[in-house]
Amino acid sequence: MKTTGILILCMVIAQSVLSQTITGIVKNEQGEPLIGANVLIKETYKGTATNTKGEFSFSRIKPDNYTIEVSFLGYETKEKEVSKENLKNIEFILEPSSILSEEVIVTATRAKENDPISFTNIGNKEIKENNFGQDIPYLLSATPSVVSTSDAGTGIGYTYFRIRGTDLNRINITVNGVPINDSESHGVWFVNMPDFLSSVENIQVQRGVGTSSNGAAAFGATLNLQTKNFSKKAYAEINSFAGSYNTFKNSANFGTGLIDGKFSFDGRVSKITSDGFIDRAESDLESIYLSGAYYTGKSILKANIISGKEKTYQAWNGVPKVRLEDDYEGMQRYLDHWLIDQEEYDHMLNSDSRTYNLYTYDNETDNYKQDHYQLFYSYEINPALHLNTALHYTRGRGYYEQYKKDKDFADYQLDDVTIGGLTISSTDLVQQKWLDNHFYGGVFSIDYKEDEINLTIGGGWNQYLGDHFGEVIWAEYASNGDMRYRWYENNGNKMDFNFYTKLNYLLFNKLNTFIDLQYRYIDYSIDGIDDDLRNITQNHIFNFFNPKFGLFYEISDAHSSYLTFGIANREPNRSNYTDADPGKPLPSAETLYNLELGYEFSATKMYLSSNIYYMYYQDQLVLTGEINDVGSAIMTNVDQSYRLGLEINGGAQLTKKLDINANATFSRNKIQDFTEYVDNWDTGVQYENNLGETDLSFSPNIIANGNISYKAFKGFKVEFISKYVGKQYIDNTSSTERSIDPYFVNDLKLTYKIKTETIKEIGINLLVNNIFNHEYESNAWVYRYILGGEEYLMDGFYPQAGINFLGGITLKF
């Protein structure tokens, strides 16, 4: 013990002797200190912000030559190489930018470095290195607390993610501060924005209630994306990728650079196709991005067009466990219990156990086109005051087509057919369910930053108009229906207004206080009949107040800590209302109380952060097994539920060539008093059972990610990427029989970049997904019923592809 103590003491003394302190100051051209400027030592994990005197310092730095980068909104970013002999009293004089930085467009909705918020920033370099044509959820998969899934099993087509067990319709998502969540469902479908990553400059993921933003409720996380900044020089880029399951991605990017010091134009066209891992789960995706801007030293006028068109074959139903496990007795039960017909049974029996798809109709497809139009104007009133405004319009229109067998005419408001004295009351038919919508509005923010104060006032007004209708485009017996006969029609009308103010105040050069107050008003009405012919006309009004308070304390340049508390409220979505049982109370709004306590440590060659979170829900909407008057599943408010977790994130640069990064989330996710409901086919009523405390569905207790990166030689990098997801329950009963097994998946990524005289850069990329060919499922659903006094179930699991490849080449000009 004595020897160990002496050894530790010697190490501490040696570190003190061999380390130095870097100090400096940041000023403007008038010699005034710039408070809150970001200072980064590029060769290390260290970064800080200047204090109220414009000063910065880094302690315990190994004597060496470094590159220090300083940035401040409205000023040109400046780098300075400093030698190990001159690490003290470094002075930076920042010059005003000749054009206003595009960073101002998103600053109001972003968490800043000294905000008491749990967040992750993903920069342009990381986005480019990981963009192989898969959707945004797969780029986010390596960030803390994220679980991604794909219907087709490959990350192309319909993809989703959860953060801390919170699904997409509870996550606020904005592009350049403009809301993109669907106003009615609250969801976002990235399949409608194919290859959007190729036009994204950076991403911020906020966990918990985060900071106030525009649009949908942040009921567990916020995702903020910023589209590409302009390039001062003209450029062109061609990307061509190919891979398993006939996957192809081709895109071209271009930009004019800054014309006459004021104008710029950028664009992209993309085409992605894939057969998918699941049978007939093909995708055909097209998109364009166009942007034009006019810059001055004090203003930006910018217009964006983001357009996507998708056609995907439906793989929504998943693979029943009886097919996954080759349970022939179970497959026979599906037939005997009328869950499938003889033709569907034969198809299931003869399909591959992991790629089975219920749908066989050749046009069982989803077809949708979505166009986003954005217009921004930012103006620097003075160096301390910025105004940002944006107008937006989104046009969406599309349908999914289905073949239906033996459907009653009455269900489509059609008359029975009499042929030769025989009355026919049902028919096979092909139907299309349409969504035709308009979403428009405006957002604004005013940002004031002077000395110790940073004040932001912002808000937005948005209007949604959506028509839902169904058409019969073919029937074996047409009855009295015309061509494209419309059997139901309803519309949604939603107005959403929000106003927020955020205040950051720096005390004692070390303590940053944070206050964020948001008011949100919603007026939502539905008018018409649904596809089951029920009248769903209704109106709902909400007034929400969402406050957040926090403290961020910079203990030293290496250590910091934060504490924050916030409240978020969320209104029920469209299906919560349309599926509700008219004989019972309507679902009510949900409330989240969120407490976060974080700590961060950064050293020259390593960093570590940890965050403890407690998310307490009041009246959270969950599936209980209850059904409405026509047998559809409904979501029910449960009084109390919570998520308690620890997030750990760290990394180390072991050598100049070898880096290791990892993160892990350990959590407990509970409903405090849960009652389940199971359909009893024998009695026609539901069986009710109180289970007490149970686990929240799709909330694994452990999520972990790892990345080992090795720069073998100049331009060539090898990455080994690992992900572990613990057991997920697929309903809220904590039943192991109804759960997704834990999975541990590993990928290998190779990148090689070379520069030539004629081509600025040639990039060769290879991604080997699931390199050990692990069989796993990432998502599922379940339905339970009682028949003959015995309990049974039907379900659907979503198998992900085994070992598969994506490779390609990038040419930059």
Side-chain angles (χ1 to χ4, degrees):
M1 180 67 73
K2 182 177 180 181
T3 304
T4 303
I6 293 172
L7 181 60
I8 293 174
L9 180 60
C10 290
M11 291 174 63
V12 172
I13 293 172
Q15 184 176 2
S16 300
V17 171
L18 296 175
S19 64
Q20 291 189 8
T21 299
I22 297 179
T23 62
I25 190 169
V26 181
K27 302 177 182 179
N28 60 20
E29 290 182 314
Q30 288 72 44
E32 300 167 334
L34 293 178
I35 301 169
N38 294 314
V39 185
L40 175 71
I41 304 177
K42 299 189 73 173
E43 293 83 1
T44 75
Y45 292 112
K46 280 185 168 289
T48 190
T50 55
N51 62 21
T52 55
K53 297 179 181 179
E55 298 169 340
F56 65 88
S57 66
F58 297 97
S59 60
R60 293 187 178 181
I61 296 291
K62 178 184 175 181
D64 205 343
N65 300 327
Y66 293 106
T67 304
I68 300 179
E69 179 185 274
V70 177
S71 60
F72 192 76
L73 188 63
Y75 291 81
E76 296 283 356
T77 297
K78 192 168 186 178
E79 287 187 2
K80 184 176 289 188
E81 294 183 358
V82 294
S83 64
K84 58 185 176 183
E85 295 82 17
N86 298 289
L87 299 179
K88 299 289 182 67
N89 303 318
I90 306 166
E91 186 176 76
F92 283 86
I93 306 296
L94 298 191
E95 301 172 358
S97 176
S98 59
I99 61 173
L100 190 61
S101 168
E102 291 191 40
E103 183 184 351
V104 300
I105 292 175
V106 297
T107 187
T109 53
R110 287 285 175 98
K112 303 171 183 64
E113 290 300 325
N114 289 346
D115 283 348
I117 304 295
S118 175
F119 67 92
T120 299
N121 287 328
I122 304 173
N124 185 253
K125 181 180 177 182
E126 186 177 349
I127 292 171
K128 286 184 175 181
E129 289 181 351
N130 290 281
N131 183 13
F132 285 77
Q134 295 172 302
D135 282 342
I136 289 174
Y138 279 71
L139 173 75
L140 301 178
S141 183
T143 58
S145 302
V146 173
V147 176
S148 301
T149 186
S150 165
D151 283 2
T154 57
I156 296 173
Y158 271 87
T159 58
Y160 318 90
F161 65 87
R162 295 184 177 91
I163 299 178
R164 295 183 180 175
T166 300
D167 60 24
L168 267 171
N169 66 18
R170 284 174 164 83
I171 297 174
N172 171 275
I173 302 179
T174 60
V175 173
N176 301 319
V178 172
I180 63 169
N181 294 77
D182 180 81
S183 294
E184 291 194 291
S185 70
H186 303 181
V188 172
W189 288 269
F190 294 105
V191 70
N192 298 332
M193 305 170 71
D195 199 30
F196 183 55
L197 276 177
S198 293
S199 298
V200 172
E201 183 72 22
N202 53 64
I203 301 172
Q204 185 176 89
V205 183
Q206 300 174 17
R207 293 177 290 278
V209 299
T211 66
S212 289
S213 190
N214 301 305
F219 212 67
T222 298
L223 181 67
N224 186 299
L225 303 101
Q226 181 183 359
T227 54
K228 291 184 74 67
N229 293 336
F230 82 99
S231 171
K232 289 186 177 181
K233 296 181 179 180
Y235 69 91
E237 182 177 316
I238 298 173
N239 295 274
S240 186
F241 286 79
S244 304
Y245 314 111
N246 287 321
T247 298
F248 297 94
K249 174 207 167 186
N250 292 284
S251 66
N253 296 265
F254 63 88
T256 62
L258 203 56
I259 303 173
D260 294 332
K262 292 186 176 182
F263 296 93
S264 74
F265 298 92
D266 298 88
R268 172 187 53 82
V269 293
S270 299
K271 173 80 169 178
I272 300 174
T273 58
S274 177
D275 289 348
F277 170 65
I278 301 299
D279 294 342
R280 296 173 302 285
E282 61 262 17
S283 300
D284 188 351
L285 316 174
E286 301 173 356
S287 69
I288 63 170
Y289 169 80
L290 295 172
S291 178
Y294 174 75
Y295 302 89
T296 71
K298 291 186 176 293
S299 67
I300 301 173
L301 179 64
K302 183 173 184 177
N304 292 339
I305 299 175
I306 307 163
S307 178
K309 182 180 181 182
E310 61 91 5
K311 181 174 184 178
T312 55
Y313 196 96
Q314 295 177 27
W316 301 343
N317 206 58
V319 180
K321 181 179 282 189
V322 294
R323 176 62 279 182
L324 276 173
E325 298 181 347
D326 293 327
D327 179 359
Y328 295 100
E329 183 178 339
M331 285 186 271
Q332 182 66 46
R333 173 179 60 82
Y334 265 60
L335 176 63
D336 296 341
H337 290 187
W338 316 286
L339 303 177
I340 55 177
D341 61 27
Q342 183 65 50
E343 183 180 357
E344 291 168 334
Y345 168 74
D346 292 339
H347 169 60
M348 179 190 289
L349 203 63
N350 295 314
S351 294
D352 180 88
S353 61
R354 296 193 61 78
T355 64
Y356 163 77
N357 188 346
L358 169 69
Y359 303 116
T360 56
Y361 168 56
D362 59 4
N363 200 37
E364 194 93 7
T365 57
D366 181 65
N367 305 261
Y368 199 75
K369 188 175 189 300
Q370 191 173 76
D371 301 313
H372 300 260
Y373 304 92
Q374 301 178 338
L375 179 64
F376 303 93
Y377 179 70
S378 298
Y379 181 69
E380 181 186 291
I381 300 170
N382 60 53
L385 189 63
H386 292 84
L387 169 68
N388 299 287
T389 61
L391 298 174
H392 67 88
Y393 171 60
T394 300
R395 177 74 167 100
R397 179 175 171 83
Y399 65 91
Y400 67 89
E401 184 170 311
Q402 291 183 303
Y403 177 75
K404 295 290 187 178
K405 297 181 182 179
D406 198 27
K407 302 300 290 185
D408 290 343
F409 285 120
D411 291 341
Y412 290 80
Q413 301 192 78
L414 292 170
D415 298 334
D416 290 348
V417 174
T418 300
I419 300 177
L422 178 66
T423 299
I424 300 172
S425 60
S426 63
T427 182
D428 293 348
L429 56 83
V430 175
Q431 66 182 34
Q432 291 179 349
K433 289 187 174 181
W434 280 81
L435 174 60
D436 186 351
N437 57 23
H438 305 264
F439 179 57
Y440 55 88
V443 300
F444 80 96
S445 68
I446 300 172
D447 191 70
Y448 173 78
K449 189 172 183 179
E450 184 77 26
D451 297 330
E452 300 90 353
I453 295 176
N454 189 177
L455 175 66
T456 301
I457 297 173
W461 174 88
N462 304 293
Q463 179 71 52
Y464 173 89
L465 302 171
D467 292 330
H468 305 256
F469 57 90
E471 296 181 339
V472 177
I473 64 169
W474 174 88
E476 183 180 9
Y477 302 102
S479 182
N480 58 315
D482 298 325
M483 189 67 175
R484 304 198 72 89
Y485 166 75
R486 188 171 295 189
W487 88 90
Y488 78 90
E489 186 170 12
N490 62 77
N491 60 73
N493 186 328
K494 186 172 186 178
M495 191 274 282
D496 187 332
F497 167 80
N498 75 286
F499 181 83
Y500 60 83
T501 181
K502 305 177 186 182
L503 174 65
N504 294 70
Y505 188 76
L506 183 63
L507 293 171
F508 320 120
N509 289 333
K510 296 288 186 180
L511 182 64
N512 189 58
T513 59
F514 173 80
I515 300 174
D516 182 339
L517 307 174
Q518 183 196 48
Y519 167 72
R520 187 165 174 244
Y521 173 82
I522 300 149
D523 185 345
Y524 178 43
S525 62
I526 306 173
D527 183 48
I529 62 170
D530 208 2
D531 59 350
D532 55 13
L533 307 185
R534 290 184 304 134
N535 189 330
I536 55 173
T537 300
Q538 54 195 282
N539 179 254
H540 307 278
I541 293 177
F542 298 92
N543 289 276
F544 293 141
F545 177 58
N546 303 313
K548 299 108 179 171
F549 309 93
L551 299 170
F552 181 96
Y553 183 61
E554 186 176 358
I555 304 166
S556 69
D557 65 281
H559 303 271
S560 61
S561 183
Y562 62 85
L563 174 68
T564 186
F565 174 75
I567 299 175
N569 293 277
R570 175 184 178 270
E571 76 279 16
N573 65 19
R574 170 188 165 87
S575 62
N576 296 149
Y577 285 129
T578 59
D579 294 341
D581 191 332
K584 297 181 180 179
L586 285 171
S588 63
E590 309 166 89
T591 302
L592 167 62
Y593 302 90
N594 181 208
L595 182 66
E596 309 260 341
L597 174 62
Y599 165 78
E600 298 177 357
F601 166 75
S602 61
T604 307
K605 298 297 181 182
M606 66 173 293
Y607 72 94
L608 175 68
S609 66
S610 63
N611 181 61
I612 298 173
Y613 64 86
Y614 179 65
M615 301 167 66
Y616 172 78
Y617 300 89
Q618 188 172 353
D619 296 326
Q620 183 176 191
L621 284 162
V622 302
L623 287 169
T624 64
E626 283 192 88
I627 58 174
N628 61 18
D629 57 328
V630 295
S632 298
I634 62 175
M635 297 189 79
T636 307
N637 294 103
V638 295
D639 291 339
Q640 301 175 60
S641 53
Y642 69 88
R643 303 182 189 276
L644 175 64
L646 169 65
E647 294 168 333
I648 302 174
N649 187 25
Q653 185 180 25
L654 302 183
T655 70
K656 288 187 177 181
K657 293 186 175 183
L658 182 62
D659 290 273
I660 295 179
N661 295 277
N663 61 72
T665 302
F666 306 92
S667 64
R668 178 180 170 88
N669 311 278
K670 297 289 185 178
I671 299 174
Q672 294 186 329
D673 188 18
F674 181 74
T675 299
E676 66 170 344
Y677 295 83
V678 182
D679 283 1
N680 191 323
W681 290 8
D682 296 329
T683 64
V685 296
Q686 288 197 295
Y687 166 75
E688 181 178 336
N689 182 30
N690 182 268
L691 299 177
E693 185 176 80
T694 61
D695 292 272
L696 280 164
S697 60
F698 303 106
S699 302
N701 291 339
I702 301 176
I703 304 171
N705 297 282
N707 181 298
I708 300 174
S709 173
Y710 182 68
K711 299 173 184 176
F713 51 85
K714 184 178 180 180
F716 182 69
K717 183 165 69 170
V718 181
E719 291 182 72
F720 189 76
I721 306 162
S722 301
K723 187 173 189 72
Y724 175 82
V725 176
K727 180 168 67 176
Q728 302 178 69
Y729 297 105
I730 61 177
D731 63 15
N732 294 296
T733 64
S734 298
S735 170
T736 300
E737 293 181 356
R738 295 182 294 279
S739 66
I740 302 172
D741 291 336
Y743 56 87
F744 182 51
V745 182
N746 299 274
D747 304 332
L748 179 66
K749 186 172 69 173
L750 308 176
T751 57
Y752 181 49
K753 298 177 181 178
I754 55 176
K755 301 181 185 297
T756 69
E757 292 184 2
T758 55
I759 300 177
K760 186 183 298 181
E761 182 179 284
I762 301 174
I764 301 171
N765 310 275
L766 176 65
L767 176 64
V768 186
N769 292 300
N770 196 1
I771 192 168
F772 298 124
N773 202 33
H774 178 59
E775 292 187 352
Y776 71 104
E777 298 79 47
S778 57
N779 199 13
W781 61 269
V782 66
Y783 165 74
R784 298 159 64 198
Y785 63 95
I786 296 170
L787 180 62
E790 298 288 334
E791 183 178 309
Y792 302 96
L793 58 81
M794 65 183 300
D795 54 26
F797 286 74
Y798 296 85
Q800 303 301 287
I803 184 170
N804 64 96
F805 306 85
L806 282 168
I809 187 168
T810 298
L811 305 177
K812 294 182 180 180
F813 302 91

